Amino acid sequence: QSMATGLLHGGVVAPEAGVEELLVGAGLVSGDVVYPMMYCPEFLPTELSSSVADMKNSARARTNPGPSPAPQFLPTHIQDYLDQANLWGPIAIAAPAHQGERAPGFGVSLLSPVLLMLSQ
């Protein structure tokens, strides 16, 4: 994630434009800024294949963006939720979630405007 958004900003890998816009807007309001990242599951079909498990949970090729396969991995574990037409959007916060040996809480204040916007 840090290769795409740097050390101070998170990333959004949302399969729906509306979810992406909601999260980016909430980041601008809250100060926990997130930017859209690549979502192209059709170009990454073999990234999660495994010879010992049903699938891997990280990208096979380290030259591919790490967060990009997440939207392929997650739906296989929340299919009942998605079958009910629920929306979702992974937020990649690996880099801004820690500063040295401290955790600044990045992402926590992002949720407040998201919940407020969804409740209206």
Side-chain angles (χ1 to χ4, degrees):
Q1 165 269 318
S2 63
M3 298 300 276
T5 64
L7 299 176
L8 302 177
H9 303 94
V12 176
V13 191
E16 300 283 337
V19 173
E20 182 178 278
E21 292 167 8
L22 172 72
L23 292 168
V24 170
L28 294 173
V29 169
S30 70
D32 281 356
V33 181
V34 294
Y35 291 100
M37 296 175 63
M38 182 180 80
Y39 177 70
C40 295
E42 62 275 14
F43 292 111
L44 303 169
T46 60
E47 282 300 298
L48 302 177
S49 62
S50 170
S51 60
V52 294
D54 56 343
M55 65 186 336
K56 292 172 59 173
N57 66 351
S58 64
R60 176 184 309 275
R62 293 298 173 210
T63 53
N64 274 331
S68 296
Q72 288 177 243
F73 178 80
L74 294 172
T76 63
H77 302 285
I78 60 169
Q79 194 58 53
D80 291 342
Y81 176 81
L82 296 176
D83 287 344
Q84 299 171 26
N86 290 307
L87 299 176
W88 64 287
I91 303 167
I93 61 168
H98 65 86
Q99 293 175 351
E101 300 206 11
R102 303 261 185 219
F106 186 94
V108 175
S109 60
L110 178 67
L111 296 179
S112 180
V114 168
L115 295 173
L116 181 64
M117 291 176 199
L118 290 175
S119 69
Q120 297 174 351

